[in-house]
Amino acid sequence: MRITRLTAAAGAFALAMAAAACGGGDDSGSGKASGIVGKASSDKKLVVGVKADQPGLGLQTGGTYTGFDIEIAKIIAKGLGVPETGIEYKTTVSSNREPFIQQGQVDIVVATYTITDDRKKAVNFGGPYYVAGQDLLVPTASTITGPEGLAGKKVCSVSGSTPAKRIQTEYKDAKLQQFDSYSKCVQALSDGSVDAVTTDDIILAGYAAQEQYVGKFKVVGKKFSDEPYGIGLKKTDKEGCEKINEILKTAASDGSYKAAWDTTLGKSGQAAPTLDVTKLTNCS
Ligand code: GLU
């Protein structure tokens, strides 16, 4: 009796699995079935991967996220027909952005996410909506004036990021320390356990301006890369990617891109950059 019931249960399980496999729950192969355009219009919801500890860009305070990336996410959501209340923010770190997209834990990623050929093998990118550049954050009294000055010095960056990779490949004499977030690097700089932090200039500027660090650190100001920020989504979702670029084009001309900047990073007085719509990806 017992065996029979177990067998029946196993059979039911197998049937359920088979049904799930045929049910089209998975999206592989067809960007359309599970793409963000279709999902947004049917669910009026969008799950967005963002950073939580990058002031001015993506910062979580209690349950609220603020920053330029968050404003960009709101523009994309609105363009897809998703109200602000339909956006769910999910904290990402640099190293889990591709897996979060691939596994469907997020619909899109807006998280200081540089478009690279390597990453394009795993995900698709709309944008760029901003071009940052790799730079260094050092104590005010430091004599380091650029990446060449890192030889023999301890420099902190984040695993899975383009700046960490660049140090490993182009500045091999630097002693690279990696954490999973830049705020941990900045803490290490504050403790004196590293000599510099490296990532995008715009991220470093946000930390330097934080109340607790004012006067302690300086951004060296000699950028040594281009970091075009894209909006990551499933590799198969060409339609979604094209829609994102269309939304960005509109935002560049209707004032919403400028407003996103002015209400976040622009508060420091820096004028809004131009969103160069001729440089948007081809979504292939
Ligand atoms: N933009 C660079 C990257 O995507 C550095 C910033 C970050 O780690 O989020 O890797």
Side-chain angles (χ1 to χ4, degrees), residues 122-282:
V123 299
N124 212 334
F125 283 104
Y129 59 91
Y130 182 76
V131 182
Q134 185 167 355
D135 209 323
L136 302 171
L137 184 74
V138 294
T140 313
S142 171
T143 53
I144 296 172
T145 54
E148 297 76 18
L150 293 173
K153 299 268 197 301
K154 285 185 204 148
V155 59
C156 189
S157 198
V158 162
S159 40
S161 73
T162 50
K165 198 167 181 192
R166 191 164 292 106
I167 295 297
Q168 283 170 323
T169 55
E170 292 174 33
Y171 301 96
K172 293 195 172 86
D173 295 335
K175 292 182 193 152
L176 179 66
Q177 154 98 61
Q178 297 187 72
F179 288 120
D180 65 355
S181 76
Y182 296 108
S183 50
K184 289 180 188 162
C185 281
V186 175
Q187 187 56 51
L189 187 66
S190 180
D191 295 346
S193 53
V194 298
D195 302 297
V197 176
T198 190
T199 187
D200 304 336
D201 45 8
I202 195 76
I203 299 175
L204 297 174
Y207 289 117
Q210 274 190 310
E211 217 177 309
Q212 70 267 40
Y213 298 130
V214 170
K216 282 183 131 187
F217 305 142
K218 61 184 178 194
V219 180
V220 165
K222 206 172 92 184
K223 79 172 199 176
F224 51 101
S225 75
D226 269 347
E227 305 290 331
Y229 286 178
I231 293 158
L233 73 167
K234 279 226 169 93
K235 185 163 169 58
T236 47
D237 194 2
K238 189 174 197 295
E239 181 197 20
C241 177
E242 283 166 351
K243 180 71 182 172
I244 286 174
N245 283 344
E246 206 180 285
I247 295 166
L248 287 176
K249 260 188 210 165
T250 307
S253 59
D254 72 1
S256 54
Y257 176 77
K258 186 179 179 303
W261 178 273
D262 288 346
T263 54
T264 57
L265 294 166
K267 280 189 188 161
S268 65
Q270 203 181 324
T274 316
L275 197 170
D276 186 351
V277 298
T278 66
K279 300 250 162 68
L280 295 173
T281 57
N282 62 14

Side-chain angles (χ1 to χ4, degrees), residues 51 54 93-95 97 111-116 119 132 157-164 182 199-200 203 227-229:
K51 294 295 183 78
Q54 296 180 186
V93 292
S94 301
S95 61
R97 292 174 293 195
T112 60
Y113 198 11
T114 298
I115 302 170
T116 69
R119 289 173 178 165
S157 198
V158 162
S159 40
S161 73
T162 50
Y182 296 108
T199 187
D200 304 336
I203 299 175
E227 305 290 331
Y229 286 178

